[in-house]
Amino acid sequence: MLYINGTIVTMNKKREIVKDGAILVEGSRIRKVGKTTDLVASHPKEPTYDLENKVVIPGLVDTHVHLAQALLRGSGDDCELIQWLCQTVWVLQGQMTAEEAYGSARLCIAEMLKSGTTCFLEAMCADRYGFDGIAKAVEESGIRGCLGKIVMDVGKYASQNAWSMHPGLVETREQSLLGVLEMHDKWHGKADNRIHVWFGARTPPGISVDLLKEMTQLSREHDIRITMHCAEVEADKVHYRENHDMTAGEFCQHVGLLGDKTVLVHMIWLDDPDFKLLAETGTHVSHNPSSNSKLASGVAPIPRLLEAGVNVSLGCDGGPSNNNYDMIMEMKLAALIHKAVSCNPVTMPAETILEMATINGAKAVGLEHEIGSLEANKKADFVVLDFESKLHTTPSPNPISTLVYCATGGEVETVVIDGRLVVERGELLTMDEEEIKREARRHADNLYERAGFRGKPKWPIV
């Protein structure tokens, strides 16, 4: 297929934008990117797909997702993080069935696809969610999914003396660590290599030092990548200092976490030595500004991380902490929040933000040679956006600025993954959207009833 007449934001090394551009796709890969006139002339018999002067970007890469939390959207709003976790989110997740988790995963994936996310990193897939069902949802939808399965052995958070997890989420070493190895053997590389299986470590002390060291050793032996929440709240920093006499970065180095096959999430409460450690080891960081803002966890020092040479990507987090999985909306907050904090309007420009959401994300998940930019021989993962027909994106002299500061996922018109149309003119082609919403409402009602949770407005309903 020859996709013609688009404005192609390539994200190649020169960051070229091709006006009146075209993309030649053969099978699952891009074969050429160039001017429409040139590609049509050199491939006159190729069927064409008219992009109608719309903007084309590489598929967005969300490096921090909780699939099971889509069903929990709107629960626990306006709470601080530890209360939010222990009194609401974990209570609901700890009673979730595999069928409900599958329904939540489909809801989340459908939302991601329709808002331009073509690849994601799931942070912590609990055993009770049913890993097979989660992988099946990825396979059916056509999305590219990196699935982090939980590794843990302690049912605590932030302090050994408080904040216990819901018993329904507590797992043993055998259940979690060995379960990752089993699922890696079963699912890694499946669905035409769209499914990758990761270690998804819980935040210390939810995972012991011994288990962390065992996990990182197995990671090296089996070439399995790792993701972990780290330094998200001040209590994390206190834990590392009081229990280990280390900074967050020093602790991660001590247990073998640092390296180019690890994505550490949030990274708000850092100390001076951490920046150099992260940069020198090639460790990746996932920035989640909406979640961090809503839960008042703090603002991650992203400009300083970037200045140190750390690869920083972008993530939406989950349904109760962000309330959506729209990476385009996440880009705007990532651009604005650091300007406000630093009182510097030129920090974190739109171009930097788009890099975080595309090529930096691809690098974080180890796929920068396959996705993240629109270039010959890379996977045909791209998103078509309609700016011309919307009031809030008109006029659009600079498509990068319009994308980051004006647009939402609602401007996504067409999505291609692995050379396959998965969204066309706003319609999901691989999933039944109405059925997904219907099932999600049913599952949410059942889960909330079983957990005794009643989400309702604080104001009287008359």
Side-chain angles (χ1 to χ4, degrees):
M1 181 68 72
L2 185 57
Y3 293 84
I4 61 173
N5 299 325
T7 297
I8 316 296
V9 181
T10 65
M11 300 304 297
N12 63 15
K13 289 183 179 179
K14 294 181 179 179
R15 300 297 190 258
E16 293 171 317
I17 299 172
V18 184
K19 189 74 173 176
D20 298 321
I23 302 173
L24 177 63
V25 174
E26 291 182 2
S28 65
R29 295 195 177 270
I30 296 169
R31 290 308 174 201
K32 292 182 182 179
V33 178
K35 290 287 188 179
T36 294
T37 51
D38 294 340
L39 265 64
V40 168
S42 59
H43 298 82
K45 296 182 179 180
E46 195 71 33
T48 59
Y49 190 106
D50 194 350
L51 300 174
E52 301 172 336
N53 299 314
K54 295 179 173 68
V55 174
V56 185
I57 63 171
L60 301 173
V61 183
D62 188 333
T63 55
H64 189 59
V65 173
H66 291 278
L67 293 171
Q69 289 186 359
L71 214 61
L72 279 54
R73 194 190 315 269
S75 64
D77 288 346
D78 304 321
C79 295
E80 62 92 22
L81 185 140
I82 295 178
Q83 178 191 4
W84 172 87
L85 271 177
C86 297
Q87 297 181 9
T88 301
V89 173
W90 280 347
V91 173
L92 290 167
Q93 289 184 174
Q95 298 183 63
M96 183 174 281
T97 67
E99 181 187 7
E100 290 162 350
Y102 172 68
S104 183
R106 295 181 74 218
L107 177 66
C108 179
I109 290 169
E111 182 182 351
M112 287 194 288
L113 286 175
K114 289 196 68 174
S115 55
T117 293
T118 59
C119 179
F120 71 90
L121 171 55
E122 155 67 44
M124 293 189 302
C125 182
D127 196 67
R128 70 175 302 116
Y129 301 158
F131 195 94
D132 288 334
I134 301 297
K136 179 184 174 185
V138 173
E139 185 174 35
E140 293 169 339
S141 69
I143 202 167
R144 203 176 294 283
C146 303
L147 303 178
K149 190 177 186 304
I150 278 178
V151 180
M152 67 169 298
D153 57 349
V154 183
K156 298 287 185 182
Y157 178 72
S159 168
Q160 291 285 4
N161 301 314
W163 307 114
S164 295
M165 292 179 60
H166 188 279
L169 289 175
V170 177
E171 299 182 25
T172 64
R173 167 193 172 274
E174 289 72 24
Q175 187 179 10
S176 61
L177 181 72
L178 302 186
V180 176
L181 299 180
E182 180 184 353
M183 290 301 103
H184 188 270
D185 287 343
K186 184 174 183 179
W187 283 104
H188 189 77
K190 294 298 174 65
D192 297 321
N193 203 33
R194 286 186 291 104
I195 297 175
H196 290 186
V197 179
W198 288 43
F199 288 118
R202 275 217 176 272
T203 307
I207 178 171
S208 66
V209 171
D210 287 344
L211 187 56
L212 270 171
K213 288 181 176 180
E214 183 180 7
M215 181 194 73
T216 57
Q217 179 62 35
L218 288 170
S219 168
R220 292 186 287 272
E221 291 175 3
H222 295 270
D223 195 24
I224 301 175
R225 303 178 78 89
I226 301 169
T227 188
M228 187 184 85
H229 298 66
C230 187
E232 181 178 5
V233 292
E234 189 173 16
D236 294 332
K237 180 176 180 176
V238 171
H239 170 77
Y240 294 127
R241 179 59 65 193
E242 291 186 349
N243 291 277
H244 305 285
D245 194 27
M246 298 177 187
T247 69
E250 289 167 346
F251 175 82
C252 289
Q253 183 181 47
H254 172 66
V255 297
L257 274 169
L258 298 187
D260 64 358
K261 292 184 179 180
T262 296
V263 176
L264 296 176
V265 185
H266 301 305
M267 301 301 279
I268 299 167
W269 294 89
L270 302 181
D271 292 285
D272 287 341
D274 298 335
F275 297 89
K276 185 178 180 181
L277 277 173
L278 293 167
E280 288 181 344
T281 57
T283 307
H284 311 282
V285 169
S286 177
H287 181 35
N288 297 233
S290 290
S291 174
N292 299 157
S293 297
K294 186 185 177 196
L295 294 171
S297 302
V299 179
I302 300 303
R304 189 175 172 188
L305 284 165
L306 290 170
E307 184 180 357
V310 178
N311 180 58
V312 180
S313 57
L314 201 61
C316 287
D317 211 326
S321 65
N322 180 323
N323 299 66
N324 67 53
Y325 296 88
D326 186 333
M327 276 283 283
I328 298 177
M329 293 179 68
E330 200 70 18
M331 282 196 282
K332 180 172 183 177
L333 183 58
L336 298 184
I337 195 169
H338 300 286
K339 300 181 196 303
V341 168
S342 65
C343 296
N344 180 2
V346 302
T347 193
M348 301 294 282
E351 291 80 6
T352 296
I353 301 300
L354 184 55
E355 288 173 338
M356 289 167 59
T358 55
I359 192 65
N360 289 15
K363 184 177 181 181
V365 298
L367 295 173
E368 69 270 29
H369 300 299
E370 295 277 45
I371 62 173
S373 62
L374 303 179
E375 302 179 74
N377 300 319
K378 280 198 169 185
K379 288 287 190 178
D381 288 16
F382 57 88
V383 175
V384 181
L385 301 121
D386 177 11
F387 293 159
E388 290 193 347
S389 69
K390 307 293 179 69
L391 292 169
H392 63 280
T393 52
T394 301
S396 179
N398 178 348
I400 312 303
S401 176
T402 300
L403 174 65
V404 173
Y405 294 117
C406 304
T408 71
E411 278 67 75
V412 171
E413 183 187 74
T414 297
V415 178
V416 174
I417 302 176
D418 249 7
R420 176 191 182 191
L421 278 164
V422 295
V423 177
E424 185 173 24
R425 308 196 192 286
E427 297 295 323
L428 278 168
L429 302 183
T430 57
M431 310 173 80
D432 185 336
E433 183 175 347
E434 292 306 313
E435 186 258 343
I436 288 171
K437 290 187 289 188
R438 183 172 61 251
E439 285 296 290
R441 294 186 192 101
R442 180 177 70 86
H443 288 314
D445 287 345
N446 291 339
L447 175 59
Y448 286 11
E449 178 71 25
R450 193 165 59 253
F453 177 76
R454 294 289 181 272
K456 58 183 180 180
K458 296 176 182 177
W459 293 344
I461 300 174
V462 296

